[in-house]
DNA sequence: CGCCGGAAGTAAAACGTTCTACACCGAGGA
DNA sequence: TCCTCGGTGTAGAACGTTTTACTTCCGGCG
């Protein structure tokens, strides 16, 4: 409980509080002898700076927010790892928000971030409502979109081309000879799900198929369990020759349900996931998938954000778009 | 940039700042008519409370810290989901720290948490150094241990019995007839790894085997990749009849390497993991594992922590110990 | 009629930093 | 001798809340 403040340190070292603050923030400005005395006082008294006071006075904190759609998804976990690494290298703390796909929860999380006066926010939005993010920027909080293209030019964004990904995935399935296709997807309020579907339709069109023939099974969450349920539905209605899933979690669920029902993959049904999470290669039938530079997504987004915060005048907003890579494995052999 | 403060709201609503603060914190204390006027002002001006100022004055924040060993491990992800859910229900924000197994990184993270004057910290320590945690408590920050028994009586802890888990796992392997065993483990600085090994040895002793015969392969990180390397080592030195891994990530790596080398699981080698992550059931050969109440671990730890913070006088410290559950699948059939 | 007491609201002092403006000092140039 | 000028350091005013002590008002009671 012995809260030791900058004043105590100052008294102990025989200097003024301002000098202690200088030692903390611009050590160059203070003479070596005094600096050492102050540093000794700091460690002897076990002083730790009160971040809130500092934030209050300085007007900004060394904290950023990260808002993701599903922290249970290894895709986001890896993004988070990239974010955390960069942030901690530069001495920033990360406040984590999990929207779990709910716009309400996302809203609540953003509010918390705004109250904390975070320096900036990294967000994979769970819906299309730029207004909400603009409000943050109104409070002087920079926003970088992760795995989502920019809403506006004066904003950084790091994304992956989901239309191209969907197209490549389905083109691959069609090249294998599949003619009837199902798309198992999360909520179509999520942009990624929509764009991957558009890519899939484009591939069908390119192959001379009617894109309206694509059977779409929409689930409420993008989890393995939801995938299992979707697969049960497909089985009940009659299986297509190939199934494309909007992410690997869904695909693993579909795979599990199919195998359990005695359906052979890929002989009876070819299967593709998306994200190429680590576990895709290790599943019962190893899963073909679209690989994305996940960790890099997190790293680069964070670097952009912190550059925007720390060097506001030289900072140039960037819209980065990666291309996903097709990884063919047993499930589409 | 138009930072609107409590003063602006007060002026707009024709009251004093104190009254606005009352509306915010104890709405009961202010007359309905004024309250409405203030609330209208708040929403019209788009006021959002400055958390740091509030923390500074009130002496404590509505933020907790979560420090885990590996955010890439689904085990911790699920713990984090439990934490996040409870915290956000009670209006707390969560600052995430990933120690990545490094004590230095953990130290840095704890420092950041201390600077933020978080209300409390949930931590799965990556080493045995209670002093560090005691220092936090010295700053008035409550600490609850997650997946780790208490260091001291006046402290909450939520753990799972790892000795019993190791024993059950190995007893299961022995019951299948295995006589030569290997234990693939993460760093033996991690308590869980040590205790699971002790459990394993106890099971061997109980079966009349010499516990010193247990071959221990220690890896630097607890990832699938490390598991693959460990398996390569085992193959080179001659395979045992059964392999017990300190977690599922390692086990999935071992499995992948074994299958790639043409070793049959479970016919040639039986394999057990630990944690029963979702993917264990979906792997090439479904993985036997020890299930732990992961999400509950996070939930309960957070509830204990926030109870300790919000009701310090009625709060009773608890040491909760769960028992893990054996899940037998193909890999030990 | 005077007084008491509760309800509603206010003024002003904190909280621990950071930052701006200023003071001091000794050296070097005019 | 006087002035200026870096180099160091200090005093004190912020920052936006919360909170304590106080005022005001009004109804009711002796």
């Amino acid at each position: 409980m012995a809260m030791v403040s900058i004043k105590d340190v100052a008294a102990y070292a025989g200097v003024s509080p301002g000098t202690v603050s200088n030692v903390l923030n611009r050590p160059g400005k203070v003479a070596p002898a005094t600096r050492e005395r102050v540093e000794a006082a700091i460690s002897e008294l076990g002083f730790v700076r009160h971040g809130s006071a500092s934030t209050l006075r300085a007007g900004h904190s060394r904290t950023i927010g990260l808002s993701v759609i599903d922290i249970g998804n290894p895709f986001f976990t890896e993004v988070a790892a990239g974010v955390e690494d960069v942030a901690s290298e530069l001495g920033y703390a990360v406040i984590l928000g999990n929207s779990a796909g709910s716009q309400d929860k996302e809203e609540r999380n953003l509010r918390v971030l705004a109250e904390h006066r975070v320096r900036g926010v990294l967000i994979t939005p769970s819906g299309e409502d730029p207004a909400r993010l603009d409000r943050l920027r109104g409070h002087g909080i920079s926003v970088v979109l992760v795995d989502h293209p920019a809403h506006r030019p004066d904003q950084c964004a790091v994304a992956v081309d989901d239309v191209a990904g969907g197209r490549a995935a389905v083109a691959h399935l069609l090249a294998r000879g599949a003619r009837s296709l199902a798309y198992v997807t999360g909520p179509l309020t999520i942009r990624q799900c929509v764009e991957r579907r558009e890519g899939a339709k484009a591939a069908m069109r390119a192959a001379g198929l009617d894109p309206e023939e694509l059977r779409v099974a929409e689930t409420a969450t993008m989890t393995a369990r939801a995938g299992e349920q979707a697969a049960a539905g497909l089985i009940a209605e009659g299986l297509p020759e190939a199934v494309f899933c909007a992410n690997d979690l869904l695909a693993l669920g579909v795979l599990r349900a199919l195998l359990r029902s005695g359906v052979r993959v890929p002989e009876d049904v070819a299967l593709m996931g998306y994200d190429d999470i680590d576990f895709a290669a290790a599943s019962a039938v190893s899963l073909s998938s679209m690989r994305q530079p996940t960790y890099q997504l997190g790293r680069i987004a964070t670097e952009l954000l912190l550059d925007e915060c720390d060097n506001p005048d030289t900072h140039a907003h960037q819209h980065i778009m990666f291309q996903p890579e097709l990884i063919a494995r047993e499930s589409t052999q």
Side-chain angles (χ1 to χ4, degrees), chain A residues 182-186 188 214-219 230-231 233-234 237 244 250:
Chain A
Y183 174 51
V184 175
T185 179
L188 288 169
L214 179 67
R215 283 166 62 188
V216 175
E218 182 177 351
T219 65
L234 291 178
E237 299 164 14
F244 170 42
L250 287 170

Side-chain angles (χ1 to χ4, degrees), chain A residues 25-312:
Chain A
N25 301 308
R26 0 186 184 351
K29 288 269 171 237
V30 33
T34 1
R35 190 195 324 156
E36 274 164 33
R37 209 146 32 91
V38 171
E39 276 163 355
I42 287 180
S43 76
E44 265 164 63
L45 297 180
F47 165 79
V48 356
R49 175 220 249 96
H50 195 308
S52 296
S54 151
T55 296
L56 173 57
R57 175 61 237 229
H60 54 81
S61 66
R62 286 189 83 75
T63 307
I64 61 176
L66 171 64
S67 174
V68 299
I69 295 180
D70 174 14
I71 191 60
N73 184 341
F75 173 82
F76 288 111
T77 305
E78 234 187 292
V79 171
V83 171
E84 226 270 341
D85 282 356
V86 174
S88 110
E89 279 164 24
L90 279 74
Y92 277 82
V94 178
I95 297 188
L96 176 69
N98 187 25
S99 69
S102 138
Q103 310 240 3
D104 278 8
K105 192 124 188 281
E106 182 177 283
E107 178 90 37
R108 279 221 310 277
N109 288 336
L110 292 183
R111 186 185 181 77
V112 168
L113 294 177
E115 287 201 0
H116 275 258
R117 295 294 194 272
V118 292
R119 198 69 186 277
V121 168
L122 296 162
I123 183 172
T124 305
S126 48
E128 294 307 304
D129 182 6
R132 202 188 321 218
L133 298 180
D134 288 346
R135 218 177 311 147
L136 275 186
R137 313 182 80 223
H139 285 291
I141 299 177
S142 309
V143 174
V144 171
L145 295 171
V146 180
D147 196 29
H148 196 289
H151 287 128
R152 30 192 306 165
D154 58 340
Q155 177 179 56
C156 287
V158 185
V160 186
D161 189 336
D162 286 302
V163 175
R167 188 164 40 219
V170 167
H172 175 64
L173 291 170
L174 295 174
R176 276 192 72 264
R179 278 301 165 267
S180 59
L181 287 169
Y183 174 51
V184 175
T185 179
L188 288 169
T189 49
I190 298 184
R191 189 200 48 86
Q192 287 87 332
C193 293
V194 174
E195 302 213 334
R196 288 167 197 173
R197 184 191 62 189
E198 292 319 305
K201 290 190 172 176
M204 291 177 73
R205 237 182 326 261
L209 296 179
D210 177 3
E212 294 313 309
E213 300 267 293
L214 179 67
R215 283 166 62 188
V216 175
E218 182 177 351
T219 65
T221 60
M222 298 178 79
T223 59
R225 198 163 313 281
E228 290 184 52
Q229 288 161 4
L234 291 178
I235 292 172
E237 299 164 14
L239 281 171
E241 292 170 312
V243 176
F244 170 42
C245 298
N247 80 2
D248 283 346
L249 256 27
L250 287 170
L252 289 172
V254 168
L255 177 63
R256 197 184 308 187
L258 291 180
L259 295 180
R260 200 189 303 123
S261 308
V263 177
R264 292 169 306 164
V265 176
E267 294 83 350
D268 300 331
V269 174
L271 182 62
M272 280 223 51
Y274 207 108
D275 287 347
D276 190 33
I277 62 177
D278 263 2
F279 303 100
S283 63
V285 176
S286 66
L287 191 65
S288 300
S289 195
M290 299 302 303
R291 176 176 298 170
Q292 310 190 71
T294 327
Y295 177 83
Q296 281 303 315
L297 232 45
R299 275 202 79 93
I300 294 179
T302 311
E303 284 164 1
L304 286 174
L305 179 64
L306 296 186
D307 181 64
E308 182 171 340
C309 294
D310 292 341
N311 321 315

